[in-house]
Structure formats: C-alpha cells, structure tokens
Amino acid sequence: MHEIAIVKDIFKTLEQTYPETYENIDKITVQAGLLCNIQPILIQNAFEAFVLEETRFKETELEIELLPIIAHCSQCESQFEVRFHKFVCVCGQSSDQIVQGEELRISQVIFKD
Ligand SMILES: [Zn+2]
C-alpha cells in the first residue's frame, strides 16, 4: 500500500538522520503538497498500523500539514494559488510552473526530554 510505504520511508529517513535519538521521537510533522495526492487520514491509519508493530513508537505523534499548490506566473512575475486544478493566474495567463505542491518532507521532529 502506498501510504504504508510512505510511513516506512519517513521512519527510515529519521533513523538515518538521527541514529542516536531515533527512539526518542515525540512528534513528527510532515508537509505534503496537494499534488502528492496524500490523504492525511490514510497516512494516519498507516502510521497507526506501523506503530502496532513498532511499539517503541506507540507514543509518537504524527501530524500531516497539507500545502497548497503555488504556481509562478511569468507574465506578471507573481505567484498564485492553484485551486481546483485551475492553473491560471489572476492576470489571465496560464502557467504550469509549480513552485510548491509537489513536496513530501519531514518539516519538524520533536524529541522527548
Ligand atoms: Zn499573472
């Protein structure tokens, strides 16, 4: 399942980044751009299934922050939010220069004292 793979990936990254303190993670915040098609509820379910097996993380909290899609308009050199898949700036110019919305990243890790 897609979401399980994402959760495992997150923990693998954390293990590599924080080999000493990996087991003391209290809270993880993950930012997901809307273009990633991430369903926070499905990630949470996958996360809960993961900690059932990895019980050392049973008190760890996961938060998913969805990031809007932002595109750049080369006509008026500004950025605009893409809503409902409408890649059109307020000036009327269409643009598919994505500056935000494709990322899936760990944005914050809080450790237990
Ligand atoms: Zn524009």
Side-chain angles (χ1 to χ4, degrees):
M1 202 167 92
H2 181 53
E3 285 77 17
I4 284 276
I6 290 171
V7 169
K8 284 188 174 161
D9 232 48
I10 289 168
F11 277 89
K12 206 183 191 180
T13 304
L14 291 170
E15 188 173 13
Q16 286 163 354
T17 316
Y18 309 103
E20 310 284 318
T21 47
Y22 173 61
E23 312 226 330
N24 297 319
I25 294 171
D26 192 34
K27 186 179 172 185
I28 306 158
T29 306
V30 170
Q31 291 182 325
L34 285 180
L35 283 172
C36 299
N37 280 320
I38 295 288
Q39 303 272 7
I41 185 75
L42 295 182
I43 294 282
Q44 291 291 354
N45 290 347
F47 175 72
E48 267 155 46
F50 177 83
V51 300
L52 275 181
E53 282 172 31
E54 299 279 341
T55 50
R56 57 196 165 151
F57 295 113
K58 67 177 189 296
E59 283 170 25
T60 304
E61 201 188 321
L62 177 70
E63 188 184 324
I64 310 286
E65 254 176 49
L66 289 178
L67 299 179
I69 303 163
I70 307 287
H72 176 79
C73 172
S74 52
Q75 176 102 341
C76 59
E77 291 298 329
S78 64
Q79 296 186 347
F80 63 94
E81 186 180 342
V82 176
R83 290 168 184 269
F84 311 110
H85 300 283
K86 196 172 156 231
F87 287 76
V88 181
C89 177
V90 285
C91 74
Q93 178 76 22
S94 70
S95 165
D96 56 3
Q97 290 180 52
I98 307 300
V99 294
Q100 177 183 284
E102 294 174 310
E103 55 278 268
L104 180 63
R105 61 178 176 226
I106 300 163
S107 61
Q108 193 184 29
V109 181
I110 298 170
F111 294 94
K112 292 175 199 149
D113 297 330

